[in-house]
Amino acid sequence: NAGVTQTPKFRVLKTGQSMTLLCAQDMNHEYMYWYRQDPGMGLRLIHYSVGEGTTAKGEVPDGYNVSRLKKQNFLLGLESAAPSQTSVYFCASSRRTNNEQFFGPGTRLTVL
Amino acid sequence: DAKTTQPTSMDCAEGRAANLPCNHSTISGNEYVYWYRQIHSQGPQYIIHGLKNNETNEMASLIITEDRKSSTLILPHATLRDTAVYYCIVRVDAGGTSYGKLTFGQGTILTVHP
């Protein structure tokens, strides 16, 4: 099993550009999450999904959109990137019944 | 969710036990104690969790006080690869109306030295 994978690993954007981060899991988990981590800080939840076709806002959702068209994939979109969105983005997944979340390796995004 | 308090940093000699404390004095009866760690530049990794009984797995042991207001994560024989930030998180278990959101605080930076 690959676990949780994230694409791409690194990306540099200019202000105003758009992009989509892809998260995929092969563990048949119901729940999926997108977090961001800024230097010296813990992870903050952006959006999450409790099942295929459903998404919800986390702590810091502004400037991001998500979609979960397939159970195994969770996409994070930035429609108009801003320098404040420079961060490391982590995707995670878990079963419905507990909080053992499996994390991907992260995507390092820089917005100039 | 109950708030947790952890020391900012700790040191440990390689081969010795690392004991990482966590205070969660406002924990509710249905809240679990979870421990995760994050090795530099990697995603967080689940270690262990418990409700009120002590727990042990292949990675660590979790000791929860009888009043559940504090806990200790024990790495029995620390190695250099255990150098990481360790997060103590208190949370009701996922399921029902709870989606299992984890709130990561600042954690404890554990440095294992030779």
Side-chain angles (χ1 to χ4, degrees):
Chain A
N1 288 346
V4 178
T5 58
Q6 293 183 232
T7 308
K9 289 184 171 54
F10 303 93
R11 186 71 185 270
V12 178
L13 290 178
K14 294 181 180 179
T15 297
Q17 287 185 316
S18 63
M19 77 162 295
T20 300
L21 283 66
L22 171 64
C23 175
Q25 53 95 5
D26 61 1
M27 296 172 282
N28 201 34
H29 285 168
E30 295 88 358
Y31 289 5
M32 296 188 75
Y33 314 82
W34 275 107
Y35 293 87
R36 62 176 287 175
Q37 186 173 35
D38 300 306
M41 297 183 66
L43 281 74
R44 293 183 292 170
L45 183 67
I46 305 171
H47 285 279
Y48 65 97
S49 168
V50 299
E52 183 178 323
T54 69
T55 64
K57 295 179 179 180
E59 300 172 75
V60 289
D62 294 343
Y64 305 95
N65 56 73
V66 288
S67 65
R68 190 151 177 219
L69 300 179
K70 294 182 180 181
K71 185 177 184 179
Q72 63 268 32
N73 295 336
F74 196 27
L75 279 63
L76 178 71
L78 286 73
E79 291 186 347
S80 180
S84 60
Q85 294 178 304
T86 293
S87 189
V88 181
Y89 292 85
F90 290 102
C91 175
S93 70
S94 69
R95 294 196 302 269
R96 179 183 299 113
T97 54
N98 66 50
N99 290 317
E100 182 180 347
Q101 294 185 14
F102 293 80
F103 284 80
T107 294
R108 189 172 297 275
L109 175 65
T110 302
V111 183
L112 302 176
Chain B
D1 300 335
K3 183 179 177 179
T4 61
T5 304
Q6 299 178 251
T8 302
S9 64
M10 296 182 66
D11 289 333
C12 178
E14 189 176 20
R16 304 296 294 269
N19 298 290
L20 291 88
C22 180
N23 286 323
H24 32 79
S25 59
T26 60
I27 192 170
S28 299
N30 63 344
E31 289 182 313
Y32 289 73
V33 179
Y34 281 79
W35 283 85
Y36 281 75
R37 73 179 182 184
Q38 186 173 23
I39 297 170
H40 183 61
S41 297
Q42 297 182 22
Q45 177 189 23
Y46 165 84
I47 301 173
I48 198 168
H49 77 281
L51 183 61
K52 53 185 176 182
N53 296 323
N54 298 337
E55 302 287 345
T56 296
N57 62 20
E58 65 277 4
M59 289 182 66
S61 294
L62 174 61
I63 308 298
I64 303 174
T65 58
E66 192 168 342
D67 63 7
R68 303 210 321 124
K69 293 184 177 181
S70 65
S71 60
T72 301
L73 177 74
I74 301 172
L75 307 178
H77 305 286
T79 71
L80 299 179
R81 288 175 293 181
D82 291 322
T83 292
V85 180
Y86 286 78
Y87 296 99
C88 171
I89 300 167
V90 174
R91 184 73 175 90
V92 296
D93 226 356
T97 59
S98 171
Y99 64 86
K101 165 180 156 312
L102 296 174
T103 300
F104 288 81
Q106 296 297 308
T108 296
I109 301 171
L110 174 68
T111 303
V112 181
H113 51 84

